[in-house]
Amino acid sequence: MYLTKFEEGMLNGEYGYARALALKVIVRVGEALGAQELVEVSHAHISGISYLNIGDAGLEFIEDIVNAGGTAYVFTSANPYMVLSDFLGCKHDDKVINKQLRIVNALNKLGVKFYTCVPYNVRPPRYGEHLAWAESNAVLYANSVLGALSNKEGGPLALLAAITGRTYKSGVHLRDNRRPEVLFNVKVLDGVNLGFLGLVIGELTGSKIPYISNLRFRCTYELKQFLAALGTTSNTPIAIIQGVTPDYKELIDGVEFEEVYDLGSESIKSYVKVFKENVLNGNGLYLVGCPHLSFNELVGFLRRAVGIVEGGGSSIDVRGRELWITTYEGFLNDEVIKLVDKLSKYNVKVVVNGCAVVSRLDSVKVDYVVTDSVKASSYISRLSRIPTLVLPRDDLLSMYFLKKINLKLM
Amino acid sequence: MCVEFKSRYEVRVRPIVSGDVEGEVIFINKYISFLGDLDAERGVLLNHGCISSKLMIFLGMKGSTVGPYIIYSLSKKSLSPSAMIVKEVDPLLITGCVLSNIPLATTDEWGKLSSIMQGYCSSRKCVGKLLCSEGLLIIE
């Protein structure tokens, strides 16, 4: 592999042991994947930082690399981690929480600026910027919507890229590898949750790059939900979307698609049914914020919740239920805090830097989950083995506060 | 008196993480998930026994992205294999081996290697010499 003089120096330990080791991993992985050179990245985003996922072995590694002098060489953020607060009074074990805090302390020392799965809502990359991001929804958003360039960095690779400011130049860092291979023609989808469409497209496209035509998103919220779900069933780091991906016209120019799918409401009905049939009994977690809410989404959602509470009178009933709104802590301004205060007595929590998916909800005695997120539903039902129901945000609010649900809208 | 017939086999390998080591070989004809298949406190692979200090020959790594951390943790406890030879390399396995300084190689002669392991080595303890510098794995 070709290395610049600076990179040679780093590999030879001129910038410390941790950087040398980190670069050695990146070079070896790059060589095995056929990369000719490295690429400078402007922003690394680390995933896999929940103690419940990476355990003692992961904690040990992160602490070791930081103690060996591993500090961020470029702007670095990380995914949210397990939720540390209680669910209806039930908490994770103190030992587990302490180990999670040790991971966060080590990452703070490394130089992680913030913890969220939507780094693109906090520091949006520019078109053409090279990144080393590891969170699937963020990678898809950066490539497909913003035109930035990032592979889905696996395991500790994003952390190693943070320390070196480099990753190997292969995959979608190369323009020729960003061209789509499978065509999805989307027909009219009246009132269907686009998250389910994301699941279907992800499953059909596998690791190939999809081109999605004729799909209209009413807001960025829908786009986020769609891509997050797509990332749960597919490995692709990019989806080319007509009218959304900045250079989609150039990327599809001259492509002859070997596979073509026409998708309508019918195609996703079977998915919706799976979630509908779950029976919801016991203590319920209502979850909004997978992926994390942007500032505008957060304010909008809290205002709607306050509206229901103020107009609901005696019909408000939240017994056996708690609502978590997960987001980035930097979005908590005075207005947000005032809105949250009005909701706190109704078991509503704004959970910052946390993620329900990487928590063990069964350990904190959650019996069922209602969420607007197809991604959250898909992972929680598998990882925590808890029944989940997917509802649009407004219906979720009605069901939470008033126990009213309009099933037609599903 | 019966003299046991001894053979010596050579297999070409492509080193990914360099190093020359010698040790008892263990053959696992499947993809391994280091999270789940392995008792990382003892260096014991489920249904296959101890892998510590052995030349571990297997198809490749599968599953969890925590794999590299487990390999790293094994090596800190001196419980890791002394080398890994696989049919397919993947980024996570390379990451684990570089971080732990475990020689790693792949081979285009997997068919030959697996028939040696399932034939000659199936009934006796074999010793392997991984010579990354020469691109060679010698099995005796």
Side-chain angles (χ1 to χ4, degrees), chain A residues 21 24-25 28-29 32-33 53-54 57-58 60-61 64 154-157 160, chain B residues 16-17 35 65-66 68-70 72-73 76 89 91-92 94-95 98-99 101:
Chain A
L21 179 65
K24 192 175 166 194
V25 173
R28 290 287 171 273
V29 172
L33 297 174
N53 289 348
I54 62 174
E60 191 180 1
F61 172 73
D64 282 357
L157 280 165
L160 303 174
Chain B
I16 309 287
V17 181
L35 182 70
T65 57
V66 183
Y69 298 134
I70 308 263
Y72 174 78
S73 175
K76 272 191 71 184
V89 284
L92 293 174
I94 299 171
T95 304
V98 176
L99 291 176
N101 209 16

Short mmCIF file of all heavy atoms in Angstrom, two decimals, chain A residues 21 24-25 28-29 32-33 53-54 57-58 60-61 64 154-157 160, chain B residues 16-17 35 65-66 68-70 72-73 76 89 91-92 94-95 98-99 101:
data_model
loop_
_atom_site.label_atom_id
_atom_site.label_comp_id
_atom_site.label_asym_id
_atom_site.label_seq_id
_atom_site.Cartn_x
_atom_site.Cartn_y
_atom_site.Cartn_z
N LEU A 21 -0.10 1.46 16.35
CA LEU A 21 -0.88 0.21 16.37
C LEU A 21 -2.18 0.39 15.57
O LEU A 21 -2.57 -0.47 14.77
CB LEU A 21 -1.20 -0.18 17.82
CG LEU A 21 -2.02 -1.45 18.01
CD1 LEU A 21 -1.26 -2.67 17.53
CD2 LEU A 21 -2.41 -1.64 19.48
N LYS A 24 -1.54 0.44 11.92
CA LYS A 24 -1.16 -0.89 11.43
C LYS A 24 -2.42 -1.72 11.13
O LYS A 24 -2.50 -2.40 10.10
CB LYS A 24 -0.29 -1.59 12.49
CG LYS A 24 0.38 -2.84 11.97
CD LYS A 24 1.32 -3.41 13.03
CE LYS A 24 1.74 -4.82 12.65
NZ LYS A 24 2.36 -5.54 13.76
N VAL A 25 -3.40 -1.64 12.02
CA VAL A 25 -4.66 -2.36 11.78
C VAL A 25 -5.30 -1.87 10.49
O VAL A 25 -5.69 -2.68 9.62
CB VAL A 25 -5.65 -2.16 12.95
CG1 VAL A 25 -7.00 -2.78 12.61
CG2 VAL A 25 -5.11 -2.75 14.24
N ARG A 28 -3.37 -3.05 7.39
CA ARG A 28 -3.52 -4.50 7.12
C ARG A 28 -4.92 -4.82 6.58
O ARG A 28 -5.07 -5.60 5.65
CB ARG A 28 -3.28 -5.31 8.39
CG ARG A 28 -1.85 -5.33 8.88
CD ARG A 28 -0.94 -6.19 8.00
NE ARG A 28 0.44 -6.02 8.38
CZ ARG A 28 1.25 -5.06 7.92
NH1 ARG A 28 0.82 -4.20 7.01
NH2 ARG A 28 2.49 -4.95 8.36
N VAL A 29 -5.93 -4.22 7.20
CA VAL A 29 -7.30 -4.46 6.72
C VAL A 29 -7.44 -3.92 5.30
O VAL A 29 -7.97 -4.59 4.41
CB VAL A 29 -8.34 -3.81 7.66
CG1 VAL A 29 -9.73 -3.88 7.06
CG2 VAL A 29 -8.33 -4.49 9.03
N ALA A 32 -5.77 -6.17 2.76
CA ALA A 32 -6.55 -7.40 2.52
C ALA A 32 -7.75 -7.11 1.61
O ALA A 32 -8.21 -7.99 0.88
CB ALA A 32 -7.01 -7.99 3.84
N LEU A 33 -8.26 -5.88 1.68
CA LEU A 33 -9.42 -5.53 0.85
C LEU A 33 -9.00 -4.92 -0.49
O LEU A 33 -9.82 -4.44 -1.26
CB LEU A 33 -10.33 -4.55 1.61
CG LEU A 33 -10.95 -5.10 2.90
CD1 LEU A 33 -11.71 -4.01 3.64
CD2 LEU A 33 -11.89 -6.26 2.60
N ASN A 53 -23.10 -4.70 25.05
CA ASN A 53 -22.70 -5.35 23.80
C ASN A 53 -21.25 -5.80 23.83
O ASN A 53 -20.93 -6.91 23.44
CB ASN A 53 -22.88 -4.40 22.61
CG ASN A 53 -24.34 -4.18 22.28
OD1 ASN A 53 -25.20 -4.88 22.80
ND2 ASN A 53 -24.62 -3.21 21.47
N ILE A 54 -20.35 -4.92 24.26
CA ILE A 54 -18.92 -5.23 24.10
C ILE A 54 -18.30 -5.88 25.33
O ILE A 54 -17.21 -6.44 25.25
CB ILE A 54 -18.11 -3.99 23.67
CG1 ILE A 54 -18.16 -2.90 24.75
CG2 ILE A 54 -18.58 -3.46 22.34
CD1 ILE A 54 -17.25 -1.71 24.43
N ALA A 57 -14.31 -7.38 27.62
CA ALA A 57 -13.23 -7.38 26.62
C ALA A 57 -13.17 -6.03 25.90
O ALA A 57 -12.09 -5.48 25.69
CB ALA A 57 -13.46 -8.51 25.61
N GLY A 58 -14.33 -5.47 25.56
CA GLY A 58 -14.37 -4.18 24.88
C GLY A 58 -13.94 -3.04 25.80
O GLY A 58 -13.18 -2.17 25.41
N GLU A 60 -11.97 -3.27 28.34
CA GLU A 60 -10.53 -3.43 28.54
C GLU A 60 -9.75 -2.81 27.36
O GLU A 60 -8.79 -2.06 27.55
CB GLU A 60 -10.26 -4.93 28.60
CG GLU A 60 -8.90 -5.34 29.06
CD GLU A 60 -8.78 -6.88 29.08
OE1 GLU A 60 -9.76 -7.58 28.72
OE2 GLU A 60 -7.72 -7.36 29.47
N PHE A 61 -10.19 -3.12 26.14
CA PHE A 61 -9.49 -2.61 24.96
C PHE A 61 -9.55 -1.09 24.89
O PHE A 61 -8.54 -0.42 24.67
CB PHE A 61 -10.06 -3.21 23.67
CG PHE A 61 -9.49 -2.55 22.45
CD1 PHE A 61 -8.18 -2.81 22.07
CD2 PHE A 61 -10.22 -1.63 21.72
CE1 PHE A 61 -7.61 -2.17 20.98
CE2 PHE A 61 -9.67 -0.98 20.63
CZ PHE A 61 -8.36 -1.26 20.25
N ASP A 64 -7.35 0.42 27.49
CA ASP A 64 -5.93 0.20 27.17
C ASP A 64 -5.44 1.17 26.10
O ASP A 64 -4.36 1.74 26.22
CB ASP A 64 -5.69 -1.24 26.67
CG ASP A 64 -5.67 -2.23 27.82
OD1 ASP A 64 -5.78 -1.80 28.98
OD2 ASP A 64 -5.57 -3.45 27.54
N GLY A 154 -16.38 -1.36 10.61
CA GLY A 154 -16.79 -2.43 11.52
C GLY A 154 -15.99 -2.46 12.81
O GLY A 154 -14.83 -2.06 12.84
N GLY A 155 -16.62 -2.93 13.87
CA GLY A 155 -15.93 -3.14 15.15
C GLY A 155 -15.16 -1.91 15.60
O GLY A 155 -15.68 -0.81 15.59
N PRO A 156 -13.90 -2.11 15.99
CA PRO A 156 -13.12 -0.98 16.53
C PRO A 156 -12.53 -0.08 15.46
O PRO A 156 -11.79 0.84 15.79
CB PRO A 156 -11.98 -1.67 17.29
CG PRO A 156 -12.16 -3.13 17.11
CD PRO A 156 -13.17 -3.37 16.07
N LEU A 157 -12.82 -0.31 14.18
CA LEU A 157 -12.11 0.43 13.13
C LEU A 157 -12.36 1.94 13.16
O LEU A 157 -11.46 2.72 12.89
CB LEU A 157 -12.44 -0.14 11.74
CG LEU A 157 -11.64 -1.42 11.42
CD1 LEU A 157 -12.25 -2.15 10.24
CD2 LEU A 157 -10.17 -1.10 11.13
N LEU A 160 -10.14 3.40 15.73
CA LEU A 160 -8.76 3.46 15.26
C LEU A 160 -8.60 4.58 14.23
O LEU A 160 -7.56 5.24 14.17
CB LEU A 160 -8.35 2.10 14.68
CG LEU A 160 -8.52 0.93 15.68
CD1 LEU A 160 -8.23 -0.40 15.02
CD2 LEU A 160 -7.62 1.12 16.90
N ILE B 16 -1.19 -12.33 6.32
CA ILE B 16 -1.90 -11.05 6.49
C ILE B 16 -1.24 -10.30 7.65
O ILE B 16 -0.98 -9.11 7.57
CB ILE B 16 -3.40 -11.27 6.82
CG1 ILE B 16 -4.05 -12.22 5.82
CG2 ILE B 16 -4.14 -9.94 6.90
CD1 ILE B 16 -4.30 -11.69 4.46
N VAL B 17 -1.01 -11.01 8.74
CA VAL B 17 -0.25 -10.46 9.86
C VAL B 17 0.96 -11.39 10.00
O VAL B 17 0.80 -12.59 10.25
CB VAL B 17 -1.07 -10.44 11.17
CG1 VAL B 17 -0.25 -9.85 12.30
CG2 VAL B 17 -2.36 -9.66 10.97
N LEU B 35 -17.67 -14.49 20.00
CA LEU B 35 -18.63 -14.22 21.06
C LEU B 35 -19.68 -15.32 20.99
O LEU B 35 -20.43 -15.41 20.04
CB LEU B 35 -19.30 -12.85 20.85
CG LEU B 35 -20.29 -12.44 21.93
CD1 LEU B 35 -19.59 -12.13 23.23
CD2 LEU B 35 -21.09 -11.23 21.50
N THR B 65 -19.45 -8.14 16.04
CA THR B 65 -18.33 -7.22 15.86
C THR B 65 -17.50 -7.11 17.14
O THR B 65 -16.51 -6.39 17.17
CB THR B 65 -18.84 -5.81 15.49
OG1 THR B 65 -19.73 -5.39 16.50
CG2 THR B 65 -19.55 -5.82 14.17
N VAL B 66 -17.92 -7.81 18.19
CA VAL B 66 -17.15 -7.81 19.43
C VAL B 66 -15.94 -8.75 19.29
O VAL B 66 -15.02 -8.72 20.10
CB VAL B 66 -18.05 -8.24 20.62
CG1 VAL B 66 -17.31 -8.18 21.93
CG2 VAL B 66 -19.27 -7.33 20.69
N PRO B 68 -13.09 -8.91 17.66
CA PRO B 68 -11.73 -8.41 17.86
C PRO B 68 -11.39 -8.16 19.33
O PRO B 68 -10.26 -8.41 19.75
CB PRO B 68 -11.72 -7.08 17.10
CG PRO B 68 -12.84 -7.15 16.14
CD PRO B 68 -13.86 -8.07 16.72
N TYR B 69 -12.37 -7.67 20.09
CA TYR B 69 -12.12 -7.41 21.51
C TYR B 69 -11.86 -8.72 22.25
O TYR B 69 -11.05 -8.78 23.17
CB TYR B 69 -13.31 -6.70 22.15
CG TYR B 69 -13.62 -5.34 21.58
CD1 TYR B 69 -14.92 -4.97 21.26
CD2 TYR B 69 -12.60 -4.41 21.37
CE1 TYR B 69 -15.20 -3.72 20.75
CE2 TYR B 69 -12.88 -3.16 20.86
CZ TYR B 69 -14.18 -2.82 20.55
OH TYR B 69 -14.46 -1.58 20.03
N ILE B 70 -12.58 -9.77 21.88
CA ILE B 70 -12.41 -11.06 22.56
C ILE B 70 -11.02 -11.62 22.26
O ILE B 70 -10.34 -12.12 23.17
CB ILE B 70 -13.48 -12.08 22.07
CG1 ILE B 70 -14.88 -11.48 22.19
CG2 ILE B 70 -13.33 -13.41 22.79
CD1 ILE B 70 -15.68 -11.81 23.38
N TYR B 72 -8.40 -9.92 21.52
CA TYR B 72 -7.47 -9.07 22.27
C TYR B 72 -7.42 -9.48 23.74
O TYR B 72 -6.33 -9.61 24.34
CB TYR B 72 -7.93 -7.61 22.13
CG TYR B 72 -7.14 -6.63 22.95
CD1 TYR B 72 -5.88 -6.19 22.55
CD2 TYR B 72 -7.65 -6.14 24.15
CE1 TYR B 72 -5.16 -5.30 23.31
CE2 TYR B 72 -6.94 -5.24 24.93
CZ TYR B 72 -5.69 -4.82 24.50
OH TYR B 72 -4.99 -3.93 25.27
N SER B 73 -8.59 -9.71 24.29
CA SER B 73 -8.66 -10.08 25.70
C SER B 73 -8.01 -11.43 25.96
O SER B 73 -7.29 -11.62 26.94
CB SER B 73 -10.14 -10.09 26.11
OG SER B 73 -10.28 -10.53 27.41
N LYS B 76 -4.26 -11.02 26.01
CA LYS B 76 -3.74 -10.39 27.23
C LYS B 76 -3.63 -11.40 28.38
O LYS B 76 -2.81 -11.27 29.26
CB LYS B 76 -4.66 -9.24 27.65
CG LYS B 76 -4.26 -7.93 26.99
CD LYS B 76 -4.97 -6.75 27.59
CE LYS B 76 -4.49 -6.41 28.99
NZ LYS B 76 -5.26 -5.31 29.58
N VAL B 89 -10.46 -14.37 5.04
CA VAL B 89 -10.18 -13.32 6.04
C VAL B 89 -11.28 -12.28 5.99
O VAL B 89 -11.94 -12.10 4.97
CB VAL B 89 -8.84 -12.59 5.78
CG1 VAL B 89 -7.68 -13.44 6.19
CG2 VAL B 89 -8.72 -12.12 4.36
N PRO B 91 -12.33 -8.18 7.80
CA PRO B 91 -11.73 -7.05 8.51
C PRO B 91 -11.68 -7.23 10.03
O PRO B 91 -10.71 -6.85 10.66
CB PRO B 91 -12.63 -5.88 8.13
CG PRO B 91 -13.14 -6.24 6.78
CD PRO B 91 -13.32 -7.73 6.81
N LEU B 92 -12.72 -7.84 10.59
CA LEU B 92 -12.75 -7.95 12.05
C LEU B 92 -11.69 -8.92 12.57
O LEU B 92 -11.08 -8.70 13.61
CB LEU B 92 -14.14 -8.39 12.53
CG LEU B 92 -15.24 -7.36 12.30
CD1 LEU B 92 -16.60 -7.95 12.68
CD2 LEU B 92 -14.99 -6.11 13.12
N ILE B 94 -8.83 -9.63 11.04
CA ILE B 94 -7.54 -8.95 10.87
C ILE B 94 -7.33 -7.97 12.02
O ILE B 94 -6.26 -7.93 12.63
CB ILE B 94 -7.49 -8.19 9.52
CG1 ILE B 94 -7.66 -9.17 8.36
CG2 ILE B 94 -6.18 -7.43 9.38
CD1 ILE B 94 -7.84 -8.51 7.00
N THR B 95 -8.38 -7.21 12.34
CA THR B 95 -8.28 -6.23 13.42
C THR B 95 -7.87 -6.92 14.72
O THR B 95 -6.93 -6.49 15.39
CB THR B 95 -9.64 -5.53 13.62
OG1 THR B 95 -10.02 -4.94 12.38
CG2 THR B 95 -9.57 -4.45 14.68
N VAL B 98 -4.11 -8.14 14.49
CA VAL B 98 -3.10 -7.07 14.54
C VAL B 98 -3.02 -6.52 15.96
O VAL B 98 -1.93 -6.35 16.51
CB VAL B 98 -3.41 -5.92 13.55
CG1 VAL B 98 -2.38 -4.80 13.71
CG2 VAL B 98 -3.41 -6.42 12.12
N LEU B 99 -4.16 -6.26 16.57
CA LEU B 99 -4.17 -5.69 17.92
C LEU B 99 -3.48 -6.61 18.91
O LEU B 99 -2.91 -6.17 19.90
CB LEU B 99 -5.61 -5.42 18.39
CG LEU B 99 -6.36 -4.31 17.67
CD1 LEU B 99 -7.80 -4.24 18.19
CD2 LEU B 99 -5.68 -2.97 17.88
N ASN B 101 -1.22 -9.00 18.00
CA ASN B 101 0.03 -9.49 17.45
C ASN B 101 0.03 -11.02 17.25
O ASN B 101 0.97 -11.71 17.62
CB ASN B 101 1.18 -9.07 18.37
CG ASN B 101 2.47 -8.92 17.58
OD1 ASN B 101 2.43 -8.85 16.35
ND2 ASN B 101 3.59 -8.90 18.27
#
